[in-house]
Amino acid sequence: PLRRGPRRHFAPRPRPFASRKDVKLLVQEALRRDLIADARVYIVLFSFMFRARDELFPLQRDGRSSAEPHSHVVVASNRVEVFLCHRKNAPRGDSVSRECVCSRSSLCGSCALAALVAAHRGRDRDPRSPLLGPAWLSGAERRLKDLCVAAGISPLSWHGFRRGGASEMLKSGHTLAQILVAGGW
């Protein structure tokens, strides 16, 4: 048969994701620059697989009494549980919890989120206000790009941490069902 026009192949563009090694390098570089909140955010995004803009950035310490409740964080001795009032695939809300893995990994999302909550409480901020305030958010994307360059890794998007966390779970032998539940899919 006669073919007309150039044959086109549309392959999806590979999307970078954060590996465990990439997150460690980012955290080291952030800590070297004294960007402690940034380092904690990268660990939390990777281990909790939050959607950054919709779930982590507006996260509230205790938003239950807020006019527009978003979330509530409960910190226990070896676990952190986050109750989200709305989630993309769970419009009536969802809870996400992670155990402390400090004994097995240097990237403990539970402890990183607990530290963000403690810092928020320590600054005596309203429990209904976001853990990460507007001052932190204003330069967060630029700092992420700068840190990626300094750490020598390919530039990451916020969603790259979510993809990376899911990929890491797959590599470590978790089932597809466990990954879907962990990421809120």
Side-chain angles (χ1 to χ4, degrees):
L2 188 60
R3 295 181 191 209
R4 296 179 187 213
R7 188 172 185 157
R8 293 185 180 155
H9 296 280
F10 294 102
R13 183 175 48 117
R15 296 178 179 161
F17 61 89
S19 67
R20 182 171 293 282
K21 180 183 172 189
D22 293 342
V23 175
K24 283 183 181 181
L25 290 171
L26 275 176
V27 167
Q28 289 171 354
E29 186 62 31
L31 291 175
R32 191 180 70 71
R33 296 181 184 198
D34 203 30
L35 299 170
I36 296 168
D38 292 57
R40 290 174 178 160
V41 164
Y42 305 148
I43 294 170
V44 169
L45 284 173
F46 184 75
S47 62
F48 276 84
M49 291 185 284
F50 282 137
R51 291 171 181 87
R53 285 179 171 62
D54 297 338
E55 295 171 359
L56 179 62
F57 294 165
L59 198 65
Q60 299 167 313
R61 196 171 80 211
D62 187 3
R64 292 177 292 189
S65 63
S66 174
E68 292 183 30
H70 175 270
S71 52
H72 174 68
V73 181
V74 176
V75 178
S77 60
N78 66 340
R79 148 180 311 282
V80 171
E81 189 156 4
V82 178
F83 299 95
L84 297 167
C85 294
H86 307 283
R87 199 165 194 198
K88 182 178 178 183
N89 297 323
R92 291 191 177 141
D94 195 11
S95 69
V96 182
S97 69
R98 297 288 185 270
E99 288 184 11
C100 175
V101 293
C102 286
S103 62
R104 299 186 308 266
S105 172
S106 60
L107 299 176
C108 181
S110 176
C111 290
L113 184 54
L116 285 173
V117 169
H120 187 266
R121 185 176 285 125
R123 287 190 298 269
D124 202 29
R125 295 182 58 197
D126 183 0
R128 295 170 295 190
S129 68
L131 293 178
L132 303 164
W136 183 87
L137 284 173
S138 67
E141 197 140 350
R142 178 191 44 77
R143 288 191 309 273
L144 174 60
K145 289 180 182 178
D146 290 347
L147 290 171
C148 285
V149 169
I153 60 176
S154 60
L156 293 170
S157 67
W158 295 117
H159 204 70
F161 292 97
R162 184 170 163 79
R163 286 192 297 271
S167 297
E168 190 65 35
M169 283 185 75
L170 187 62
K171 279 191 232 174
S172 65
H174 288 83
T175 65
L176 185 58
Q178 290 170 322
I179 296 168
L180 291 173
V181 168
W185 283 286

